[in-house]
Each structure stands twice: as C-alpha cells, then as structure tokens.
C-alpha cells in the first residue's frame, strides 16, 4: 500500500507533518473531545480506579476479563446497560439479561450465527454490491468507504431483521436511524431522557414491526422465520431484531474504513488478512467501553465496589496498553478478542461481524489502495470517519 499522494485536508502525510497525533486519535477526539483525554488520563492512574460520578474504571485486560467472567457483575441492575435499553427494547434482549433466562435465549439464537448461516446471509446480501465495488475500484474510481459500509452493513441488518430485497436508499436510511439512536448515548448517560426514549422507541418499533411480519410469515429461509422455527416467541424475536440492529450495524460499518486507513498509514500491504483484522480490532476497539453494575460489595482489583456502583471497563485502554498497531505481533491470552467481550455476554454476532468484514476487506484490499482524503466524524458514540475516500494506488 502506498502513502497518499493527494493533498486532502486530513491526509496522513500532511497530518504527520502538522502534528504527531495519529489519525486514530483524531477520530476519538472528534467523537469525544472531553471524555477521550480523560479516559486516556485514567489509564495512567492504574489498572482499576474509582472516579466520582463515573464509577469504578478498569484499564487492564486481565482484570476486565475477570469481571466479565464473574456473574456478580451484571447487565440487568441499576446503572447497568439494562437501565438504558430496557425501556426501549423490552426486558428480554440478551444485553439486559443474566443467568438462566439469558443462557436459554442465547442457546436458542446460537444456530443463527454458525459459520455456515452467516456465510450464507453475507453471500446472499453482499455478492452483488461487492461486485459493483470491485468494478469501481478496478476502474480507478474514488470510493467513499464510509458511505459504502453504511450501505453494506445496513443491507445485512435489513435482511437479518426481516426485509426481503433492500434498496440502497432503504439500507442507508436504516443505518442513519440506528446512528441517531446510538448517538443519544454518551459515556455519562445512565438513562435516556423521555424525549430520547420516545425517538428510540419509534425507530425500534419500526424494526420490530418488520421483524414481526417476517416472523408471522414464518419462512425458514429468513432469519426471523428461523427464529420462529427455533422456538423463539414473537416478543423474543422482535427484541432480538432490535438488539441486532442496535449492536450489529455501526460496529461493523465504522470498523472497515478504520482497518483500511490503519493498513495504509502503516504502509502495510502484504499481510495475513485475519491477523490484520484482529490487530486493527485491538487498536480501534469499535465499542470503547463495557458497563456492569454491582449488586453487593465486591472487589475489582484493589478497589472495593459497593452496591449501586457502575463498573466501566475501558476496553480501549485495556487494548491500547499493548502498543501501537503491529499485525506481526501475536496477542497474549488475557487480551484475546476482548473487543468482542468475554464470558456469557461475548458478542453473539461475532461470526457475522467477521464474515462481513472479511468479505468487504477482501474486495477493497485485493489491490493496493491509497487514502485520498478523510474526515473524522463529530457527535457520534463510536469513533469513526465521516468520510474516507480511497482508490486503487
Ligand atoms: C465489529 C463488530 C462488533 C463488535 C466490536 C462488537 C462488540 C460487542 C461487545 C464488546 C459485546 C459485549 C458487551 C458486554 O459484554 O458488555 C457485544 C455483545 C453483543 N453483540 Fe456485538 N459486536 C460487533 C458486531 C455485532 C453484530 C454484527 C451483531 C449482530 C447481528 C452483534 C450483536 C451483539 C449482541 C446481541 C450482543 C449481546 C450479547 C449478550 O448480551 O449475550 N454484534 N458485542
């Protein structure tokens, strides 16, 4: 991969000349101008620190993994992510459940995410748009990878929640709706305001209605039809569709442009794709934090957490402690895929995310590409480019 040759406002060479700040750091600062510097400062204060108003902050991968594997840290208590999403998604959507009901729902959903299920979904939805992308890049067109990913990740989720053939406009609109809901949340948000909850509910009711119609139709060739076949109730299927929509669209879409930019900025062209993806996941940590609540006194490293405390695992700090982007370096066991969580709540969509990312990255990185220009997005929860123009080098 070559260094950029165009003088866009934020191309890597001009950036390096003007400042030592990496493009990745710029993305974080654009998304969270106040919280990001604070978050990075906290990393220097130790593996676990109590921060008034924020909670017990974990900056260390081994401690984070212990918390995630320990049932005393919950996603359904006061101050947990459940507080945030239950009013909008309902009480039973994996990410706000614990214990036996959580394990039972996960077991029912597991067959949807086997390698063969996700491969079929991705091939079915993405074959055509990816072929178009391949042709455009081969012709030497300049492509906005951010917009392209909105379309591709939006299309996969549209299909997963029950839409049949999806127009590009529909996929983009769905992506924008999701972004609007996710961006209501900041690091300090504990509850959505009534107005925010109303907007979120409207968007998610729309998703629920699409899911319900596909569930009622019961075609086992569709994800919702399979859910019915697998024994999920209509309410569970609606909730799962909402959860997939909220968690599975922006995460994937924001990652691919960051992966391509990282490879470009480090002048890496000849690398095993899976290693590059894993290492770019470590450096970018698409979801920078994970939250848990505490129901009774429990130690987190050297800090005693009390009932009502919120534990904020700063995945980004945990992962960044292992140095700059370097796909040739293996990850130690404590770090293993921490960016997808660990333990009972480990990302159920991991196989789908990886299948989507691999499929797009294979097409984009088929030949050396250069980043022509880029701009960081503001006012978003997940740091991302607003625009990343690439073309064949
Ligand atoms: C790059 C892409 C993705 C990343 C980085 C990511 C990250 C994560 C993380 C860190 C968790 C655990 C959170 C915690 O323990 O607090 C999680 C859970 C989850 N993810 Fe993903 N995710 C991605 C893509 C997807 C996709 C494509 C889907 C589905 C279609 C999905 C669905 C879910 C669901 C439903 C959960 C909740 C699981 C549970 O609580 O049992 N994710 N994800």
């Amino acid at each position: 991969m070559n260094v950029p040759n165009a003088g866009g406002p934020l191309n890597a060479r001009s950036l390096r000349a003007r400042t030592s700040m990496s493009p990745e750091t710029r993305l974080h600062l654009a998304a969270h101008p106040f919280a990001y510097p604070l978050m990075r400062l906290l990393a220097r204060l130790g593996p676990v620190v109590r921060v008034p108003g924020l909670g017990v902050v974990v900056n260390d991968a081994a401690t984070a993994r212990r918390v995630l594997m320990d049932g005393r840290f919950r996603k359904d208590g006061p101050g947990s992510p459940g507080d945030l999403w239950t009013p909008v998604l309902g009480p039973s959507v994996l990410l706000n459940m614990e214990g036996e009901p959580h394990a039972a729902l996960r077991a029912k959903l597991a067959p949807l995410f086997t390698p063969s299920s996700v491969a079929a979904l991705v091939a079915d939805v993405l074959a055509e748009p990816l072929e178009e992308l391949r042709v455009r890049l081969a012709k030497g067109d300049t492509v906005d990878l951010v917009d392209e990913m909105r379309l591709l990740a939006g299309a996969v989720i549209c299909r997963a929640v029950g839409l049949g053939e999806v127009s590009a406009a529909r996929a983009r609109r769905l992506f924008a709706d999701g972004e609007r809901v996710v961006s209501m949340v900041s690091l300090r948000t504990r509850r959505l305001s009534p107005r925010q909850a109303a907007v979120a509910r409207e968007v998610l009711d729309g998703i629920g209605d699409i899911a319900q119609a596909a569930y009622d139709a019961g075609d086992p060739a569709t994800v919702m039809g399979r859910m019915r076949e697998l024994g999920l109730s209509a309410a569970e299927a609606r909730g799962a569709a909402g959860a997939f929509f909220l968690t599975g669209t922006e995460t994937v879409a924001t990652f691919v442009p960051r992966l391509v930019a990282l490879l470009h900025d480090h002048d890496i062209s000849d690398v095993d794709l899976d290693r590059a993806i894993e290492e770019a996941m470590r450096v970018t940590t698409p979801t920078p934090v994970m939250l848990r609540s505490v129901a009774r006194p429990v130690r987190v490293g050297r800090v005693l957490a009390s009932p009502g405390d919120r534990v904020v695992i700063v995945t980004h700090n945990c992962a960044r402690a292992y140095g700059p982007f370097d796909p040739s370096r293996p990850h130690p066991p404590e770090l293993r895929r921490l960016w997808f969580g660990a333990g009972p709540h480990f990302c159920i969509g991991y196989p789908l995310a990886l299948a989507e990312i691999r499929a797009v990255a294979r097409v984009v990185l088929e030949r050396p590409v250069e980043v022509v220009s880029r701009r960081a997005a503001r006012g978003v929860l997940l740091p991302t480019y607003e625009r990343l123009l690439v073309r064949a080098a």
Side-chain angles (χ1 to χ4, degrees):
M1 222 162 283
N2 299 337
V3 285
N5 64 1
L10 252 182
N11 80 38
R13 194 185 282 161
S14 66
L15 239 182
R16 282 193 208 112
R18 269 188 279 157
T19 163
S20 61
M21 196 184 286
S22 75
E24 270 293 319
T25 302
R26 292 210 154 208
L27 295 189
H28 286 280
L29 283 173
H32 304 290
F34 303 108
Y36 186 69
L38 172 70
M39 204 167 90
R40 295 301 288 148
L41 182 72
L42 292 176
R44 300 205 205 149
L45 300 183
V48 184
V49 261
R50 176 182 285 286
V51 183
L54 194 59
V56 176
V57 173
V58 178
N59 299 310
D60 163 71
T63 312
R65 190 168 289 280
R66 276 199 296 277
V67 168
L68 294 171
M69 306 294 289
D70 182 336
R72 290 175 296 179
F73 299 95
R74 305 179 64 93
K75 295 193 76 168
D76 62 352
S80 72
D83 263 4
L84 214 50
W85 297 118
T86 304
V88 180
L89 284 169
S92 311
V93 290
L94 288 184
L95 46 87
N96 55 2
M97 298 168 79
E98 289 295 346
E100 186 45 42
H102 173 256
L105 183 57
R106 270 194 78 115
K108 281 193 210 167
L109 288 167
L112 297 174
F113 294 99
T114 59
S116 62
S117 297
V118 299
L121 178 67
V122 168
D124 187 27
V125 181
L126 296 189
E128 210 175 290
L130 282 180
E131 185 49 34
E132 277 169 27
L133 177 63
R134 188 193 314 273
V135 169
R136 286 169 64 201
L137 286 168
K139 272 198 316 197
D141 284 3
T142 298
V143 172
D144 181 359
L145 212 46
V146 174
D147 183 58
E148 200 63 36
M149 280 314 298
R150 288 188 173 142
L151 178 66
L152 299 175
V156 170
I157 289 295
C158 276
R159 184 68 64 87
V161 302
L163 289 174
E165 285 308 310
V166 181
S167 70
R170 186 79 203 256
R172 283 202 178 89
R173 210 164 55 237
L174 192 109
F175 186 91
D177 280 346
E179 202 173 42
R180 201 150 51 98
V181 174
V182 172
S183 295
M184 289 172 181
V185 178
S186 80
L187 209 58
R188 293 177 63 89
T189 312
R190 284 175 184 249
R191 278 206 175 78
L192 298 180
S193 72
R195 223 183 67 79
Q196 289 174 322
V199 173
R201 217 172 291 123
E202 193 186 317
V203 169
L204 286 153
D205 279 351
I207 301 293
D209 291 346
I210 296 167
Q212 176 92 48
Y215 180 91
D216 290 342
D219 176 356
T222 66
V223 175
M224 287 297 136
R226 291 253 357 245
M227 284 194 196
R228 185 170 172 172
E229 207 179 42
L230 294 167
L232 274 89
S233 69
E236 284 174 330
R238 272 185 89 109
F244 296 170
F245 168 70
L246 275 187
T247 54
T249 323
E250 246 182 291
T251 42
V252 174
T254 57
F255 173 71
V256 173
R258 293 171 82 182
L259 162 71
V260 172
L262 272 169
L263 290 170
H264 169 272
D265 296 342
H266 289 78
D267 248 330
I268 297 171
S269 58
D270 188 17
V271 65
D272 173 81
L273 183 58
D274 283 349
R275 283 272 346 122
I277 291 172
E278 276 294 297
E279 176 64 355
M281 280 281 174
R282 179 185 72 80
V283 171
T284 59
T285 53
T287 55
V289 302
M290 292 180 264
L291 304 177
R292 292 294 184 272
S293 67
V294 175
R296 48 204 148 97
V298 53
R299 283 208 166 275
V300 186
R302 296 224 299 258
V303 175
L304 183 65
S306 314
D309 268 341
R310 186 162 79 150
V311 178
V312 181
I313 296 172
V314 185
T315 319
H316 185 69
N317 286 346
C318 297
R320 288 306 296 261
Y322 293 77
F325 183 68
D326 178 1
S328 70
R329 213 177 34 201
H331 294 164
E334 69 276 13
L335 207 50
R336 192 180 150 72
R337 294 192 188 136
L338 192 62
W339 30 95
F340 283 101
H345 289 281
F346 181 82
C347 178
I348 195 171
Y350 167 74
L352 177 60
L354 213 63
E356 286 184 61
I357 291 163
R358 276 198 193 117
V360 186
R362 271 198 205 109
V363 170
V364 176
L365 301 172
E366 206 167 79
R367 62 192 70 68
V369 288
E370 59 185 10
V371 174
V372 178
S373 86
R374 62 181 111 187
R375 183 182 297 136
R378 295 175 194 285
V380 286
L381 180 66
L382 307 190
T384 180
Y385 288 103
E386 183 181 297
R387 180 164 60 86
L388 186 89
L389 300 187
V390 300
R391 70 169 169 233

